[in-house]
Every structure is written in structure tokens, then in C-alpha cells.
Amino acid sequence: MKARLLFVPLMFLLIVFSVSAVRLETAECFDDGRIEITLKADGNTAYTNSIKIIAEGKNVKGSWDNDFLALTSYINKRATFTSLENRLVEERTYQITMPYEEKIDEQTTQEGELTFELDCPGLIFTCEKMGIKLNDCVTSKREKITAHLDIYGLEQSPGLNLDPLKVIDFKLRTQMLYRDINEVVSKTGSLPKGATITKVADNKYLLEANFDSYTTNRIYEMSVNFNDNLKRPCSPVDYPNIILSDKTTCVYTETEEDKLEEKKEKEETKAEESARNTGFSVVEDEPIDDKSRKKSQLKTLMWILLGSLLIGGVLLYYLYEEGYFY
């Protein structure tokens, strides 16, 4: 009888300690490398700060929307974990392990663990990889604009190739009015018409543009920021640790290219003047055939003139002999 009385409490304790405090309700993986896992209370109380999410041996950072799970609480029956972006970035099935502690009573806790597999699509786009830095901005004395930028995240996954002219907004503050790529004429507009951005190295780009050649315009200030043409908007409020915009003061100077072009123009002008002064200009020299033709025409005219003088002299002599001058 005593043995049976002892057996009943032991079975009760075994059942209590064997019941899991939580169970998996939903789990999803997204193309920004983020995961969401929802747990449901299934027994004793479990505090979410003790629950770890481990994917293939690595901790996944994120946050819970509830502090604990308990069957006795109406609002704490579920808790959802949302990881940071750019965590599970491979297209594959991940083995997820979730060790946790459940509270048995005020003095007793025990460890539990959930394990499951999670299919992930692989990283396509995440704002976590985006970034921009405006290193310099120059207007040359020949109205050419150049700027060097560091731009991150434009090619963060296979098949994704974002055009910087489409996903970045540029704003210029200039000395004079100009027409920008949006056909707007102002002193505070976008890039001038015909502007190009070329990739020169990994995450490094060169901006080139020109003001109209008949102006003497210049840029005082340039600012850049990612717009909403990305695969999804990246707000500074949601991503405070990422540089999504930048601004710099621009300089107006004579560049090496200006000096080379000026030197080339001076040499060409000097060559033209030299050719005119020496008479050996290819444009001004007459062809040899034209010279021969002119000499032949001059000789013919001279013979005609001599013939006319001879005939005139004979006629005058005849008239004199006949007495027409008496």
C-alpha cells in the first residue's frame, strides 16, 4: 500500500517534468535573410529571454514581441521572434535548434529544446547591405562635373543589379539656372541632362556630367539619398545604423583635364598661325594643275596683245601713206 502511495506522486512529477512548456506554431524565412518564429504556450511558464535561436550552430539575433509564455495568461499564450535581416542568406534548408528554460515552481526550472527544419529562399535584397558615401564633388572651369561615390548593396545578390541613376536621388545647389534630367530649369535640381554613373571598382562609382558649354555655372553643394525605387523602401527610421544619405560641399577649380585641353588648343592655334605666316598652308596653297593652266592663259593673252599691236601698227601705217592724216 505504501509503495502505491509513493508511486502516484512520482508519476505526477514525471508527467510535470516531461511536458514541454512551449510548442512551435509557425516558422517562416524571407528573401531579406530574416526569419519569424511563433511559439505557443503548452505547459509551464517559459521566459523568452532564456530562449535561444540557433541555426546550424550560430546564434540568430532578433527580438521577441512578448516577455513570457504561459497557459494561465490570456495575452501571453503566444510569442513571436523576429530576427534581424541578412541572417539566413543561403538558399537551403536550415536546422533550427531552440533551447529554453521552463519554470516549474518558484525554486525549480528545467531545460527544454525544440528542433525543426526551415526552408529559406536565399537572400535577394536587404536594406542592411545598402549604404552610400559622397567622397568629393568638383566643377571644372570647362563646366565638367565629377564626383566619386561609395555605393553599397547595388549587386548584393545574383540577378539583382540596381541602376544608381534610378535608385538614388541627387540634389544640386548651383550658381546659375540649368536644365536637369527631369527637364526642370532651376538652381536646385537633379543632375544635368546627359549625366552618367560608371562603376570603377567594387562599390566605387564615378559620376560625370556637363553644364552647357556657353555658361560658367558651378555646383555649390550636392546631396544624395536612396529613393523608393529599391526592391523595398529603406527608411532611416527603420535602419538608424546605416548611411542612406550623404551631402558634401563642391569645389570649383582648374583640373588637369582643363590644363591638357588648354595646352592642346594653344598648340593647334599656334600651328595654324605658323602655316598662314609661312605660306605653306595646305588649305591656301593652289594645286599644281591650276598654276599651269593660269600660265598657259597668260601666255595666250600676251600673244593676242602682241598680234593686236602688230595689226594696229600696220593699219596706221597704211592710213598714213594714203594721206588720211593730212
Side-chain angles (χ1 to χ4, degrees):
M1 186 69 178
K2 291 183 179 179
R4 290 183 60 187
L5 291 173
L6 289 171
F7 180 74
V8 172
L10 286 173
M11 286 296 296
F12 176 76
L13 289 173
L14 182 62
I15 291 171
V16 168
F17 279 89
S18 63
V19 172
S20 174
V22 297
R23 63 182 172 90
L24 179 67
E25 186 166 76
T26 61
E28 190 173 1
C29 193
F30 300 90
D31 64 10
D32 58 3
R34 173 174 49 91
I35 62 172
E36 283 188 4
I37 299 172
T38 299
L39 300 182
K40 186 177 180 180
D42 196 33
N44 297 313
T45 301
Y47 291 93
T48 54
N49 61 5
S50 71
I51 303 175
K52 295 181 180 179
I53 291 84
I54 302 172
E56 304 294 342
K58 294 183 179 179
N59 287 333
V60 180
K61 294 182 178 180
S63 59
W64 291 90
D65 66 352
N66 228 335
D67 293 333
F68 67 93
L69 294 105
L71 283 173
T72 56
S73 171
Y74 177 76
I75 61 173
N76 295 94
K77 281 185 169 60
R78 288 177 176 81
T80 298
F81 172 84
T82 303
S83 78
L84 300 177
E85 296 179 16
N86 195 32
R87 300 296 116 176
L88 276 59
V89 298
E90 298 179 22
E91 184 181 1
R92 53 171 291 194
T93 298
Y94 286 86
Q95 184 71 29
I96 306 297
T97 304
M98 298 180 64
Y100 63 91
E101 290 183 356
E102 60 178 298
K103 183 179 179 181
I104 305 301
D105 53 41
E106 292 299 328
Q107 289 80 28
T108 310
T109 61
Q110 74 172 5
E111 295 182 353
E113 185 177 87
L114 288 175
T115 59
F116 58 93
E117 291 184 342
L118 183 61
D119 293 330
C120 290
L123 177 68
I124 295 178
F125 176 84
T126 171
C127 293
E128 292 282 349
K129 283 184 172 288
M130 302 305 294
I132 191 166
K133 186 176 187 302
L134 188 52
N135 295 314
D136 58 46
C137 168
V138 176
T139 307
S140 77
K141 291 188 177 180
R142 291 176 177 267
E143 290 76 48
K144 182 174 181 179
I145 304 162
T146 57
H148 292 87
L149 303 96
D150 294 341
I151 309 175
Y152 302 92
L154 297 183
E155 301 172 339
Q156 58 183 269
S157 64
L160 182 71
N161 190 2
L162 301 173
D163 185 346
L165 283 173
K166 293 180 180 179
V167 301
I168 299 173
D169 286 337
F170 292 82
K171 186 175 181 180
L172 314 182
R173 186 168 62 85
T174 64
Q175 183 182 37
M176 301 171 61
L177 295 173
Y178 73 100
R179 187 182 300 275
D180 69 11
I181 55 177
N182 301 314
E183 297 293 339
V184 176
V185 177
S186 70
K187 292 184 179 180
T188 55
S190 185
L191 295 173
K193 292 186 67 174
T196 61
I197 299 179
T198 307
K199 181 181 177 181
V200 295
D202 288 345
N203 303 318
K204 295 189 178 297
Y205 295 79
L206 172 64
L207 163 67
E208 295 179 290
N210 287 90
F211 287 123
D212 292 329
S213 58
Y214 56 83
T215 69
T216 55
N217 208 351
R218 59 168 294 187
I219 303 174
Y220 290 127
E221 186 178 79
M222 178 185 291
S223 61
V224 293
N225 65 275
F226 288 110
N227 56 36
D228 292 341
N229 292 329
L230 296 169
K231 190 175 183 343
R232 63 181 62 91
C234 298
S235 169
V237 176
D238 298 327
Y239 302 91
N241 298 322
I242 303 171
I243 300 175
L244 298 171
S245 62
D246 200 11
K247 180 170 64 175
T248 190
T249 301
C250 301
V251 298
Y252 179 68
T253 185
E254 183 179 27
T255 63
E256 288 298 321
E257 186 176 350
D258 289 337
K259 294 175 182 178
L260 290 174
E261 287 294 327
E262 186 176 358
K263 182 179 179 181
K264 182 179 178 181
E265 289 178 359
K266 286 182 179 179
E267 289 175 350
E268 290 175 352
T269 302
K270 186 176 180 181
E272 290 176 1
E273 291 177 351
S274 177
R276 283 197 298 267
N277 293 336
T278 57
F280 289 107
S281 172
V282 176
V283 177
E284 295 179 358
D285 288 349
E286 294 179 295
I288 296 175
D289 290 344
D290 289 346
K291 289 183 179 180
S292 299
R293 182 170 53 81
K294 288 184 178 182
K295 285 182 180 180
S296 178
Q297 290 175 348
L298 181 60
K299 187 182 293 185
T300 301
L301 288 173
M302 290 179 65
W303 281 111
I304 293 172
L305 181 58
L306 288 173
S308 299
L309 290 174
L310 182 60
I311 293 172
V314 171
L315 181 59
L316 288 172
Y317 179 75
Y318 173 76
L319 292 174
Y320 178 78
E321 289 293 328
E322 292 296 321
Y324 280 95
F325 294 102
Y326 297 101

